[in-house]
Amino acid sequence: MRTSVTSLLSYDKCPRLYAFYKEGWAEHEEQWPGMLQGSVVHDVVNSIAKGVRDEHIDGLIETVCWDVFKTDNSVKRYGPGVRRALGKFPLSWDEVRGWDSEIEIEGVFDNHTLNGRVDLIRREDGVITLVDIKTSKVDEIEHLLWNSQNRYYALILDQMYPDHSIFYEYWCLPTDAKEPSPSKGSFWMKPEHIAETRAEVVRLFGEIESRENHKDFPRMNMSNCKFCMFRRLCMTKMVVGKYVEG
């Protein structure tokens, strides 16, 4: 079986979320503007890491805003939030240029292939640090407790670079006026964490394979259903008659 880190995480959060993605419903559902704004920030950081100079960043923001939102007023409406997020970046752009950005990674675990794309990777002597950028205001410890994304990425990188120590960092760059969460530094993926995460990944792959029809995946009681792009679609499966959002 082959799947992405994002897909595996969606199953762990809510099997029905995984099923909707699997069926291709993401193409038909409207995405939350905050998520799209975050995509703009990621695309701009990716381009800067690949060499875009400071004097071209404003023009880059305008281009990416239009590409993502497809509206003429997107720069005026969403550009300020993107600039606020970029202004909270903890390093100078010169320090980031040359890092690996949006790099594809892949690992094999018990004949199952897990792949993903990492925001930023910093390589030093014997150390690889993956950096996860988020544009919502979430404390990094809270984020690391409920989101296993970085652990899964670190697991893959440990397999790809067995002679390196793997660290991960979470950078909070909110698009609103709030200050980012204070950074608590790098987190080392210890050998016991690698083993635990590998067992978790293999278990999830096994659960998915055991289901005969992923359309019948149950819905889980999620606290963040209101942010899910499939909320309306999911609701139609739960109630009889026409659903009208109140």
Side-chain angles (χ1 to χ4, degrees):
M1 182 178 178
R2 178 188 181 91
T3 194
S4 68
V5 167
T6 301
S7 184
L8 201 64
L9 286 169
S10 70
Y11 173 82
D12 195 29
K13 291 178 183 177
C14 175
R16 186 172 290 180
L17 175 66
Y18 171 86
F20 286 144
Y21 272 119
K22 193 76 172 177
E23 286 293 300
W25 280 100
E27 300 177 6
H28 309 289
E29 296 299 303
E30 183 178 357
Q31 292 192 3
W32 181 47
M35 294 176 62
L36 294 174
Q37 198 173 31
S39 296
V40 175
V41 173
H42 281 82
D43 287 349
V44 171
V45 171
N46 175 38
S47 296
I48 294 172
K50 293 184 183 302
V52 170
R53 308 306 301 176
D54 290 12
E55 60 268 25
H56 300 303
I57 292 178
D58 279 342
L60 178 64
I61 292 172
E62 294 183 11
T63 300
V64 178
C65 274
W66 200 94
D67 287 345
V68 170
F69 288 98
K70 307 297 184 186
T71 61
D72 292 333
N73 69 341
S74 61
V75 176
K76 182 178 180 181
R77 183 172 182 180
Y78 300 107
V82 172
R83 291 185 174 89
R84 280 193 294 268
L86 294 173
K88 296 165 185 173
F89 210 79
L91 302 176
S92 71
W93 295 125
D94 281 337
E95 291 181 80
V96 174
R97 290 188 181 100
W99 288 13
D100 292 325
S101 174
E102 295 292 329
I103 185 173
E104 300 283 349
I105 60 175
E106 183 175 288
V108 179
F109 308 97
D110 282 13
N111 297 319
H112 301 299
T113 301
L114 185 64
N115 58 61
R117 181 180 298 170
V118 182
D119 293 342
L120 291 169
I121 290 181
R122 180 173 65 240
R123 300 171 186 265
E124 298 170 327
D125 293 339
V127 175
I128 290 179
T129 303
L130 67 93
V131 177
D132 182 28
I133 296 174
K134 286 289 182 287
T135 53
S136 56
K137 176 73 173 179
V138 180
D139 179 82
E140 67 182 88
I141 296 298
E142 248 182 79
H143 171 71
L144 293 172
L145 285 173
W146 64 260
N147 192 323
S148 300
Q149 181 183 53
N150 282 341
R151 291 195 298 111
Y152 291 6
Y153 286 159
L155 174 68
I156 298 172
L157 287 169
D158 179 75
Q159 186 177 95
M160 294 174 64
Y161 304 97
D163 56 339
H164 285 65
S165 295
I166 310 298
F167 287 77
Y168 54 85
E169 297 179 7
Y170 165 71
W171 293 356
C172 170
L173 311 176
T175 55
D176 58 20
K178 296 177 182 177
E179 289 302 310
S181 298
S183 175
K184 296 176 177 62
S186 295
F187 294 84
W188 175 36
M189 195 73 167
K190 299 178 181 179
E192 56 263 40
H193 297 157
I194 295 288
E196 291 170 359
T197 303
R198 187 186 187 285
E200 182 179 317
V201 164
V202 170
R203 174 182 61 79
L204 290 174
F205 269 117
E207 287 184 13
I208 293 173
E209 282 196 321
S210 69
R211 295 186 182 278
E212 294 183 1
N213 187 343
H214 65 262
K215 292 181 181 179
D216 297 328
F217 282 8
R219 172 187 178 274
M220 294 181 68
N221 184 19
M222 295 172 60
S223 60
N224 58 342
C225 280
K226 63 182 178 180
F227 298 116
C228 179
M229 72 169 68
F230 302 118
R231 180 171 180 264
R232 186 183 295 273
L233 181 62
C234 194
M235 184 66 72
T236 64
K237 290 179 172 289
M238 296 173 60
V239 298
V240 177
K242 184 178 179 181
Y243 165 61
V244 180
E245 188 172 4

